[in-house]
Amino acid sequence: MSGLSAVLVALAVLVWRPPSSWVLARVRGVAVPRPGRRVLVATVAGALPLSLLSLPAAPAILVWTGAGVVVAAARRVVRARERRRRTAVREEADGVVDALVAELRSGAPPAVALERLAVESGLLAPAAVAAAAGGDVPSALVAAGSGSGAAPLADVGRAWAVSDACGAPLVRVLEQVREAAREDRELRREVASGVAPARATASLVAAMPPLGLALGTGLGVDPLSVVLTTVPGALCVAAGVACAVAGVLWIDLIADRAEAGA
């Protein structure tokens, strides 16, 4: 079996060795595109039977179970980071709307107000450039609001276009936009408070498999030896972890959809 393992490792090195273009890209600091999902699926599909042939069955099952947990945890971390980034952008956009209304109330011309606020917030930089060059400011604002979390800027752009078309004072139109943004902000906070217990439940679900093993050890059953040395024990752990991971991802999906619809 050790000879077969050595052969498989040698074949893996020969097949999956990095090409010269990859090495040059790493040395020169050029970004390399990540492998697609099909490549990853094909790699896993090929490595799974090889690992079962070269390793004892129970440890191989546990290794793949741990790999699945790592992938699911990494995905959850990425989604949480994206959620925090989107929330930060949304708060910045709401602050931009409030500051823009305050600038216009003080008597500043719209172009000057955009220029002042663009120094503090990069979200308004394209609109400030368009205003200074005499370009289409509403389109620039709508384009800036198309980013994740920056929807209030699109509302400002549409309000700006309405003001230009109808001749209505821009500050009055933006006050309506600000009030709508405040209502949306309160709704998002209520939804976030509502889904917080669900996210806490997801963390508890993720902790259930190791807690079960710890409980069995505390009762003197010694489940670790069964899990590490027998295929049925390893399969039970794999099934339990799969159910826990599926539950965590499902809860996160429901919570994310609830927050996205707020």
Side-chain angles (χ1 to χ4, degrees), residues 30-257:
V30 181
V32 179
R34 295 183 179 181
R37 183 175 298 180
R38 292 183 180 179
V39 176
L40 295 177
V41 171
T43 303
V44 172
L48 180 58
L50 292 178
S51 63
L52 293 176
L53 290 175
S54 60
L55 296 174
I61 293 172
L62 294 179
V63 167
W64 282 103
T65 301
V69 171
V70 171
V71 171
R75 180 181 178 184
R76 196 179 186 212
V77 169
V78 170
R79 293 175 66 176
R81 187 180 302 169
E82 174 62 23
R83 187 167 57 252
R84 290 192 297 268
R85 190 195 67 81
R86 184 172 60 249
T87 300
V89 173
R90 188 60 180 262
E91 291 178 354
E92 182 179 355
D94 290 339
V96 164
V97 176
D98 294 338
L100 186 57
V101 172
E103 287 286 342
L104 295 177
R105 276 184 174 179
S106 66
V112 175
L114 283 178
E115 183 178 357
R116 291 176 181 175
L117 296 178
V119 177
E120 301 177 359
S121 175
L123 296 176
L124 289 178
V129 172
D136 191 353
V137 177
S139 297
L141 288 170
V142 171
S146 62
S148 178
L153 294 183
D155 296 335
V156 172
R158 287 186 283 268
W160 198 299
V162 170
S163 176
D164 289 344
C166 301
L170 180 59
V171 62
R172 294 185 179 179
V173 183
L174 289 184
E175 284 177 351
Q176 300 297 325
V177 174
R178 183 183 62 176
E179 293 301 323
R182 287 180 177 178
E183 293 178 0
D184 291 342
R185 190 185 315 166
E186 293 298 328
L187 178 59
R188 291 196 309 271
R189 290 175 179 175
E190 292 180 2
V191 172
S193 300
V195 301
R199 296 193 187 279
T201 302
S203 301
L204 180 60
V205 170
M208 289 181 66
L211 288 177
L213 292 176
L215 179 61
T217 303
L219 295 176
V221 180
D222 193 14
L224 292 179
S225 61
V226 178
V227 168
L228 295 175
T229 58
T230 65
V231 174
L235 289 176
C236 288
V237 171
V241 170
C243 291
V245 169
V248 170
L249 296 180
W250 182 251
I251 292 173
D252 283 344
L253 179 61
I254 294 174
D256 289 343
R257 287 183 176 179

